[in-house]
């Protein structure tokens, strides 16, 4: 039921009608997958959105729906850092309108409470569950708690204290929302057969809640998908969120408009940027000039710039000093006519202006903007945000129209940088964990109206990682959407991810699921030829069906000079070949390899629906006898006086597949072997659950 609190929330969200309907529909779908509040059941769900796409509004709407549907208690796990926890709690309080005129509110919001609040929570639970209580006096409790062992333990103690005040905890349905669920809460000690303190505290909290659903919200679901399926935090179901109109993410910035958005820093420029001590780099100055022109062009706030040099606080402090000093110097120079002003304009502002115009931005004249720039510099707040600064470093977005934030890890995952247009990030890729890198993308968001003004100066390898992630994310989301729409349990879904081995899906410490992660190399043969220990008659039937369906197009290959038999071939749509692969059975290693090839080729087909596969029926489908070597059948026939050899039978530019009908000499078992050659243009790498 969509009740009054959900309706009020969405009406106040400033979304258009389509946006409201989108959030409402998706949120109803999420809550519908949760455990029935009247049953003794616990469920774990995964909710996947994009970075900066509105996940907070999504879970806030789900929380409102939970109250409208009788959930008396909601627990939100929010942030590992105080600034993120405060940001989320403050926004939740604002969006739920916890404080209402007249003092009567349908909400009670408690931040990091202790057992001392048990009486208050119990009173609120009774108000929600006692049918005699009038609606205006019913209060749902929302507890926000940091992902910190001590804080989580105190919330558990609060729950355990409820019976002292007449509330049977086993009868209370609870919704638990874990924001940025792939961070901190998962067990990072699983490789040591141990449990991290935060993970253990979450398990203990869940154990104290006999009726609950644990919703894991994230934009980077790799870690929750690769933990052990028996883990309590391994999700049962998934809901995939679709962003509203105007969202600009990886596809926009790193594929469709990467030449306008990305300014790649060379290796030497990165080295310089990471070792500076006395003088800011030319790239930083150009980025800063671009930002001040953008601020003057937009002429309204909040607008912001993010400077993310590295994870080290010393370098962040250095850059904070650079930005403050340049801002002060430039403000003065731009107000004083003369050679120094002209040199500054020609060296940085004119270049930045020309770059913005070349990228499609509709700009006022440069001289017009330069009149305004000194005033906007004066209105700009510069803040260093790291472990050495207060929780939010005095960032109150409505107190200034322009902000430049300098920092590192404290400004990535979960932190919303309002109106971000310009990013300077020479930071190196690091360990190559794609989920961590993607969380640095604070420049994603609803920027459709000013995306042409956005720029990012990035380490080249980081830019490559963001671009690669677009394809990885697209395929992963498509797979999860299928699971969502078909109602498949995530426990039964084989993990499939398109991911180059250069990168890692997530931190190794939390992975407890065996998987294969290999590259399907271009222009080289890959064989599926292990002797199976299972019935493979379906493979034979599928091969026969593929030939029968395309019999009219089968031709002899004239390159085969043998007299007694000939290879034949037929060109088939890629879609038909993928259907042939879909039900492949055999040795587990071969099945994993077939799944890898299937996912890779499916991704390529999505990009180009006209793709075809040249299928070769080796020896025209006649049986070949082969003796296994270490459990693998040697499929290929070498060259001879009349035969060029199997390896030569491929079609350049096409995916080429050889079907070998083989009798296993040691068992008389008949199997189908595959040899596949993917052209370099379609090659790639895939991660597949073993």
């Amino acid at each position: 039921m969509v009740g009054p609190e959900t309706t009020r929330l969405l009406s106040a969200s400033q979304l258009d009608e389509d946006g409201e309907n989108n959030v409402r529909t998706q949120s109803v779908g999420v809550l519908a997958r949760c455990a029935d509040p009247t049953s003794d059941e616990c469920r774990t769900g995964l909710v996947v959105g994009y970075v900066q796409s509105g996940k907070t509004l999504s879970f806030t709407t789900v929380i409102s729906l939970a109250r409208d549907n009788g959930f008396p208690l909601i627990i939100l796990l929010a942030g590992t850092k105080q600034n993120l926890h405060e940001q989320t709690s403050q926004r939740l309080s604002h969006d739920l309108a916890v404080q209402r005129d007249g003092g009567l509110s349908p909400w009670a919001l408690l931040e990091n409470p202790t057992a001392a609040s048990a009486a208050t929570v119990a009173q609120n639970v009774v108000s929600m569950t006692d049918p005699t209580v009038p609606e205006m006096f019913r209060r749902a409790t929302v507890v926000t708690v940091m992902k910190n062992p001590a804080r989580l333990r105190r919330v558990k103690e609060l729950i355990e204290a409820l019976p002292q005040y007449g509330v049977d905890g086993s009868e209370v349905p609870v919704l638990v929302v874990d924001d940025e669920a792939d961070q901190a809460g998962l067990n990072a000690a699983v490789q040591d057969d141990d449990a991290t303190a935060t993970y253990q505290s979450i398990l203990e909290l869940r154990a104290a809640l006999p009726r609950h659903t644990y919703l894991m919200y994230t934009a980077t679901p790799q870690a929750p998908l690769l933990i052990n399926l028996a883990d309590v935090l391994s999700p049962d179901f998934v809901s995939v969120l679709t962003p509203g109109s105007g969202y600009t993410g990886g596809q926009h910035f790193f594929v469709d408009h990467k030449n306008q958005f990305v300014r790649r820093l060379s290796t030497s420029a990165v080295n310089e940027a990471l070792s500076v001590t006395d003088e800011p780099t030319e790239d930083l100055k150009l980025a800063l000039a671009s930002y001040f022109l953008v601020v003057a062009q937009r002429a309204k706030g909040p607008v912001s710039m993010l400077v993310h040099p590295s994870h080290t606080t010393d370098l962040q402090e250095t850059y904070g000093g650079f930005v403050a000093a340049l801002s002060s110097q430039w403000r003065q120079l731009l107000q004083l006519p003369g050679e120094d002003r002209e040199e500054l304009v020609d060296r940085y502002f004119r270049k930045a202006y020309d770059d913005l115009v070349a990228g499609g931005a509709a700009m006022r004249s440069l001289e017009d903007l330069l009149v305004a720039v000194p005033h906007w510099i004066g209105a700009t707040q510069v803040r260093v945000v790291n472990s050495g600064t207060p929780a939010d470093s005095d960032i109150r977005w409505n107190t200034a129209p322009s902000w430049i934030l300098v920092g590192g890890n404290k400004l990535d995952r979960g932190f919303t940088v309002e109106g971000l247009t310009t990013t300077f990030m020479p930071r190196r890729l690091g360990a190559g964990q794609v989920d961590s890198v993607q969380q640095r993308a604070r420049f994603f968001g609803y920027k459709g109206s000013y995306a042409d003004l956005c720029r990012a100066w990035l380490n080249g390898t980081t830019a490559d990682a963001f671009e690669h992630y677009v394809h990885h994310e697209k395929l992963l989301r498509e797979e999860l959407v299928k699971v969502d729409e078909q109602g498949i349990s995530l426990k039964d879904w084989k993990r499939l991810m398109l991911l180059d081995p250069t990168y890692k899906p997530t931190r190794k410490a939390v992975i407890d699921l065996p998987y294969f992660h290999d590259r399907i190399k271009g222009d080289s043969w890959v064989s599926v030829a292990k002797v199976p220990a299972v019935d493979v008659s379906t493979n034979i039937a599928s091969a026969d069906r593929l030939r029968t369906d395309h019999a009219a197009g089968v031709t002899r290959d004239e390159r085969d000079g043998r007299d007694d038999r000939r290879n034949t071939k037929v060109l088939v749509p890629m879609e038909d070949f993928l259907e042939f692969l879909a039900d492949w059975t055999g040795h587990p290693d071969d099945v994993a390899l077939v799944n890898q090839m299937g996912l890779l080729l499916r991704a390529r087909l999505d990009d180009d629906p006209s793709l075809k596969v040249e299928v070769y029926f080796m020896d025209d489908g006649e049986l070949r006898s082969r003796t296994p070597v270490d459990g693998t059948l040697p499929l290929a026939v070498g060259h001879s006086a009349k035969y060029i050899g199997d390896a030569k039978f491929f079609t350049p530019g096409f995916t080429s597949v050889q079907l070998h009908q083989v009798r296993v000499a040691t068992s008389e078992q008949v199997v189908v072997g595959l040899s596949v050659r993917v052209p370099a243009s379609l090659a790639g790498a895939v991660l597949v659950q073993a």
Side-chain angles (χ1 to χ4, degrees):
M1 177 188 76
V2 177
E5 285 308 302
T6 305
T7 301
R8 186 214 60 78
L9 170 69
L10 293 177
S11 296
S13 66
Q14 298 183 336
L15 296 173
D16 59 22
E17 184 177 354
D18 288 342
E20 282 190 34
N21 289 337
N22 184 48
V23 174
R24 182 186 301 108
T25 299
Q26 292 184 131
S27 300
V28 167
V30 171
L31 191 65
R33 303 290 296 278
C34 295
D36 183 344
T38 64
S39 67
D40 295 327
E41 181 186 11
C42 295
R43 300 202 75 192
T44 303
L46 178 65
V47 185
V48 181
Y50 287 112
V51 170
Q52 301 283 83
S53 67
K55 295 184 299 299
T56 301
L57 178 58
S58 172
F59 69 66
T60 304
T61 306
V62 172
I63 288 172
S64 293
L65 280 168
R67 190 227 178 261
D68 285 340
N69 287 273
F71 282 81
L73 178 59
I74 299 98
I75 300 173
L76 174 64
L77 279 57
T80 59
K81 304 179 181 74
Q82 188 65 30
N83 66 323
L84 295 184
H85 180 76
E86 289 181 2
Q87 176 182 270
T88 302
S89 294
Q90 289 168 7
R91 178 172 174 182
L92 191 65
S93 177
H94 174 270
D95 290 351
L96 293 178
V98 171
Q99 296 182 11
R100 306 269 174 110
D101 292 341
L104 282 176
S105 173
W107 300 101
L109 180 64
L110 304 177
E111 294 186 37
N112 293 312
T114 67
S117 299
T120 299
V121 173
Q123 181 180 343
N124 293 338
V125 168
V126 171
S127 77
M128 288 289 295
T129 55
D130 185 346
T132 66
V133 175
E135 176 61 31
M136 64 187 300
F137 295 103
R138 292 160 60 85
R139 296 186 101 187
T141 300
V142 179
V143 168
T144 67
V145 57
M146 288 178 63
K147 280 188 266 189
N148 169 289
R151 301 289 178 89
L152 289 164
R153 188 164 53 251
R154 289 168 191 151
V155 173
K156 177 184 75 80
E157 292 167 354
L158 185 159
I159 299 298
E160 293 173 337
L162 292 179
Q164 300 176 29
Y165 302 95
V167 171
D168 183 354
S170 66
E171 299 294 323
V172 178
V174 179
L175 177 67
V176 182
V177 177
D178 186 348
D179 186 21
E180 304 293 348
D182 58 313
Q183 183 192 33
L186 301 179
N187 187 13
V190 66
Q191 303 292 334
D192 300 323
D193 197 26
D194 200 356
T196 51
T198 301
Y199 169 76
Q200 185 61 41
S201 298
I202 290 174
L203 297 192
E204 292 171 0
L205 173 61
R206 294 193 66 178
L209 303 169
R211 289 186 181 184
H212 78 276
T213 295
Y214 191 90
L215 286 181
M216 310 173 77
Y217 268 79
T218 183
T220 47
Q222 293 83 358
L225 291 172
L226 292 174
I227 63 176
N228 195 299
L229 298 180
D231 194 308
V232 173
L233 296 188
S234 178
D236 308 308
F237 66 90
V238 63
S239 291
V240 181
L241 303 178
T242 303
S245 61
Y247 177 73
T248 50
Q251 180 69 35
H252 181 96
F253 285 127
F254 288 94
V255 178
D256 299 340
H257 300 89
K258 70 175 180 179
N259 291 334
Q260 294 97 316
F261 176 69
V262 179
R263 297 293 167 266
R264 296 174 67 94
L265 298 173
S266 66
T267 300
S268 59
V270 169
N271 291 338
E272 181 186 7
L274 297 181
S275 60
V276 294
T277 55
D278 301 321
E279 179 68 24
T281 66
E282 293 296 290
D283 289 308
L284 176 64
K285 293 175 183 178
L286 189 59
L288 193 61
S290 179
Y291 172 68
F292 286 136
L293 288 174
V294 167
V295 175
Q297 175 65 33
R298 293 207 73 199
K300 61 179 180 179
V303 188
S304 62
M305 177 180 181
L306 174 63
V307 179
H308 184 150
S310 99
H311 67 286
T312 63
T313 58
D314 287 348
L315 195 59
Q316 293 160 17
E317 295 290 345
T318 297
Y319 269 83
F322 287 161
V323 171
L326 286 171
S327 299
S328 176
Q329 294 166 12
W330 289 3
R331 183 186 181 195
Q332 294 179 20
L333 280 175
L334 289 172
Q335 296 180 89
L336 298 173
E339 292 183 2
D340 289 344
R341 179 185 188 277
E342 291 307 312
E343 182 182 356
L344 174 63
V345 170
D346 288 341
R347 192 166 182 178
Y348 303 112
F349 284 91
R350 195 175 305 281
K351 286 182 181 179
Y353 181 84
D354 291 344
D355 175 67
L356 290 165
V357 172
M363 305 287 289
R364 305 201 307 272
S365 72
L366 177 57
E367 284 306 318
D368 184 20
L369 292 173
L370 288 174
V371 171
V373 164
H375 303 291
W376 285 106
I377 294 177
T380 297
Q381 296 290 313
V382 179
R383 292 287 187 275
V384 176
V385 183
N386 57 34
S387 58
T389 60
D392 56 9
S393 290
D394 256 354
I395 299 170
R396 297 290 181 266
W397 295 106
N398 289 329
T399 62
S402 171
W403 296 81
I404 300 178
L405 305 186
V406 183
N409 295 342
K410 210 170 181 180
L411 290 176
D412 54 22
R413 179 184 295 273
F415 191 91
T416 299
V417 184
E418 299 284 350
L420 178 60
T421 62
T422 310
T423 300
F424 182 78
M425 189 186 298
R427 181 173 179 172
R428 292 195 173 98
L429 189 61
Q433 295 163 190
V434 292
D435 55 348
S436 296
V437 174
Q438 185 71 354
Q439 288 289 352
R440 297 177 195 165
R442 299 299 98 193
F443 33 72
F444 293 166
Y446 289 90
K447 304 175 186 289
S449 63
Y450 61 94
D452 52 358
L453 296 173
C454 296
R455 295 290 185 275
W457 278 256
L458 302 174
N459 185 322
T461 56
T462 301
D464 290 340
F466 280 124
E467 183 176 349
H468 180 82
Y469 193 91
V470 174
H471 306 288
H472 164 75
E473 181 177 50
K474 178 175 179 289
L475 265 293
L476 179 56
R477 283 175 61 91
E478 287 177 359
E479 291 294 316
L480 293 177
V481 165
K482 293 176 188 175
V483 174
D484 186 6
E485 292 178 345
Q486 296 172 16
I488 301 170
S489 170
L490 273 178
K491 305 284 191 185
D492 300 327
W493 174 66
K494 282 280 189 180
R495 276 55 174 157
L496 298 167
M497 301 178 191
L498 191 68
L499 185 64
D500 192 285
T502 304
Y503 308 111
K504 302 170 185 175
T506 187
R507 55 202 185 279
K508 183 179 179 181
V510 302
I511 297 176
D512 194 25
L513 198 65
Y515 63 84
F516 297 95
H517 189 191
D518 297 303
R519 173 180 290 279
I520 305 297
K521 296 180 180 179
D523 296 333
S524 60
W525 288 104
V526 176
S527 292
V528 178
K530 290 188 178 294
V531 177
V534 295
D535 180 18
V536 293
S537 58
T538 55
N539 297 346
I540 298 171
S542 295
D544 291 343
R545 185 165 56 252
L546 182 65
R547 175 160 186 155
T548 300
D549 289 346
H550 297 281
V554 176
T555 60
R556 288 189 173 187
D557 194 313
E558 298 303 324
R559 292 173 293 178
D560 191 342
R562 296 174 298 178
D563 298 325
D564 55 339
R565 58 181 66 187
R566 289 277 184 91
N567 297 330
T568 54
K569 64 180 181 178
V570 63
L571 194 64
V572 306
M574 178 77 80
E575 183 67 51
D576 291 3
F577 176 63
L578 290 175
E579 288 183 12
F580 164 73
L581 290 183
D583 297 320
W584 188 269
T585 58
H587 189 282
D589 290 355
D590 277 355
V591 172
L593 178 57
V594 166
N595 286 337
Q596 284 180 303
M597 288 190 292
L599 183 63
L600 175 66
L601 294 177
R602 170 64 64 187
R604 304 307 186 232
L605 182 63
D606 288 344
D607 293 335
D608 182 1
S610 68
L611 288 176
K612 295 184 182 299
V613 175
E614 191 85 84
V615 177
Y616 290 83
F617 301 99
M618 307 308 288
D619 292 350
D620 196 28
E622 295 293 324
L623 282 174
R624 293 175 169 180
S625 180
R626 292 288 184 268
T627 300
V629 178
D630 295 329
T632 299
L633 297 167
L635 297 179
V637 172
H639 67 86
S640 63
K642 289 189 175 182
Y643 189 58
I644 60 175
D646 284 359
K648 298 292 186 181
F649 286 87
F650 66 89
T651 305
F654 287 84
T655 297
S656 300
V657 178
Q658 297 177 354
L659 298 186
H660 302 261
Q661 298 276 2
V662 178
R663 175 182 287 112
V664 182
T666 54
S667 67
E668 296 300 306
Q669 181 184 18
V670 175
V671 301
V672 176
L674 296 179
S675 294
V676 181
R677 191 178 194 274
V678 176
S681 59
L682 302 182
V686 178
L687 182 153
V688 175
Q689 179 184 341

